[in-house]
Amino acid sequence: TIGLVISTLGYAMAAGSQTLPVMCVAAVMEGAYGLCTNAGNPRLLSSWFHRHYGLVTGVITAMTGLGGSVFSLIFGKIVSNLGWRSAYGITAGIIAAVTVMIAVLVRNKPADMGLKPYGEGYVPKNTKKDSEDHWDGYSFSVLKKKSSLRLVVVGTFLSCFCVYMPFSVLAAHVQDCGMSAEFAAGVQSLLMFVLAAFKLGFGFMSDKVGAKRMSMVSLVAVVAAMLLLAGIKTPATAYLSAVVYALALPICGIAPMLLVTTLFGYHSSAKVMGIILAMTSVGNMLTAPLSNLLRDMFGTYRPVFIGTAVVSVGVILLYLVIYKLADKDRKEYERSQQEITA
């Protein structure tokens, strides 16, 4: 709710801005919603859903992306017909209305409304699903000293750096491969629609086999996608590259939300998610200028993607180490809890 309020003020400020510094401040405020919701969602959703947590997270992230894509088109129409100031003002009004609805209808815990979490007491039939569900975890003061958290920060940066490397240049790369701008736009559209579907699938399968296994699937898909993108020669291979790349992108979307609670529990999930989001943003921010700089050096994006595939193999190995350390941390936590209750 706080993020929505700040975002509303940001859009309102943008609508009335007269100078560039004010517009920049407004842009930062507009992004507050994404930061606050992504950091707080794991804890909120885990309080409401003890069952199908992964699926619910997948639905929310998929709808967020789809809603953003649709609203971008609407926003563009408003700008064309009424001007950009009116577009920002209308957006502020819509967000304000949504903020009121959430403040009235949503609570942090079901108990605040006299309800119980969905699936309370549910025990998964698949006991080998890493026993990932619903553990409290260490306090952040303890967790920040753990090697597993430090490596997750590094792993998040590297995985997002790798997976976002083609994102902003995909259409340009397809055109470099001898295809039309219209076809390249179609490939980009295919990517976004398949990504929405894969987010749902990622969440659903995380409930079945665990977030760690599904994250590893996305990491392997990063390697495959980079090699496919580097080898685009026909329209068919361009479409195939987009589909596999869509499978890779959840590693910096839904995967962190599920992995944080899986690896570190819920107690410190909001703080850890804030760090993860910062690393995601840094990795994303660096990719577009770097990929274009390297393209100017080599005359093509192909070597960029091949190099990214090599780095991605190292990231896979790093995550395997992270999983091992996190499992060790959890066993120590559970042992300490047993000693306390004994």
Side-chain angles (χ1 to χ4, degrees):
T1 305
I2 293 173
L4 283 169
V5 171
I6 297 173
S7 187
T8 300
L9 294 174
Y11 277 98
M13 184 184 296
S17 65
Q18 300 292 335
T19 62
L20 180 60
V22 173
M23 198 68 177
C24 291
V25 173
V28 173
M29 294 174 68
E30 289 161 19
Y33 167 69
L35 177 62
C36 292
T37 52
N38 286 331
N41 270 345
R43 195 171 185 87
L44 178 65
L45 295 179
S46 65
S47 297
W48 278 89
F49 298 94
H50 287 189
R51 189 179 182 188
H52 300 315
Y53 170 66
L55 177 60
V56 173
T57 305
V59 170
I60 287 176
T61 54
M63 292 302 102
T64 300
L66 188 59
S69 299
V70 172
F71 190 76
S72 294
L73 298 175
I74 297 173
F75 187 87
K77 290 288 186 182
I78 297 173
V79 171
S80 299
N81 294 326
L82 301 176
W84 65 269
R85 290 189 186 277
S86 296
Y88 275 105
I90 291 171
T91 303
I94 293 172
I95 298 175
V98 172
T99 303
V100 173
M101 290 174 57
I102 291 176
V104 171
L105 299 176
V106 179
R107 295 293 182 268
N108 290 330
K109 300 175 183 177
D112 296 338
M113 301 177 67
L115 302 174
K116 292 183 178 181
Y118 174 75
E120 184 180 43
Y122 170 73
V123 178
K125 294 180 180 179
N126 181 7
T127 56
K128 293 185 179 181
K129 194 183 89 75
D130 303 324
S131 299
E132 293 176 353
D133 300 273
H134 313 297
W135 72 294
D136 290 333
Y138 293 103
S139 65
F140 188 72
S141 60
V142 175
L143 186 59
K144 67 183 181 181
K145 300 175 183 177
K146 300 288 185 181
S147 298
S148 55
L149 178 60
R150 298 190 188 108
L151 290 179
V152 162
V153 172
V154 176
T156 300
F157 168 75
L158 290 176
S159 61
C160 292
F161 179 82
C162 291
V163 81
Y164 281 133
M165 188 63 77
F167 192 76
S168 62
V169 300
L170 178 60
H173 174 58
V174 172
Q175 291 180 71
D176 279 355
C177 294
M179 297 165 205
S180 68
E182 183 179 357
F183 178 82
V187 172
Q188 188 86 41
S189 297
L190 174 67
L191 169 67
M192 300 310 296
F193 280 105
V194 174
L195 175 59
F198 278 167
K199 284 180 179 179
L200 292 173
F202 190 103
F204 176 77
M205 290 305 299
S206 291
D207 286 333
K208 300 295 183 181
V209 302
K212 291 191 290 188
R213 291 186 179 91
M214 287 306 299
S215 296
M216 195 54 62
V217 169
S218 280
L219 287 168
V220 172
V222 175
V223 179
M226 296 305 140
L227 294 176
L228 285 169
L229 286 167
I232 289 178
K233 292 182 179 179
T234 64
T237 54
Y239 284 133
L240 177 61
S241 299
V243 171
V244 176
Y245 185 38
L247 181 59
L249 280 167
I251 195 60
C252 289
I254 181 176
M257 296 176 65
L258 298 177
L259 272 180
V260 163
T261 51
T262 296
L263 300 178
F264 306 118
Y266 298 109
H267 189 84
S268 304
S269 60
K271 291 182 180 178
V272 175
M273 200 63 208
I275 298 172
I276 297 297
L277 286 172
M279 292 299 100
T280 301
S281 298
V282 173
N284 186 17
M285 179 180 65
L286 294 175
T287 53
L290 182 60
S291 59
N292 284 304
L293 176 64
L294 293 174
R295 192 262 184 201
D296 289 342
M297 290 175 58
F298 296 112
T300 174
Y301 290 108
R302 295 184 193 277
V304 179
F305 298 149
I306 293 173
T308 303
V310 173
V311 176
S312 298
V313 173
V315 175
I316 291 173
L317 298 176
L318 176 60
Y319 268 85
L320 291 174
V321 173
I322 290 169
Y323 292 168
K324 202 168 191 66
L325 290 173
D327 287 342
K328 179 183 176 183
D329 291 339
R330 179 165 182 176
K331 289 177 181 177
E332 291 177 355
Y333 172 82
E334 291 174 344
R335 193 160 46 244
S336 67
Q337 293 301 108
Q338 290 174 358
E339 292 174 354
I340 292 172
T341 56

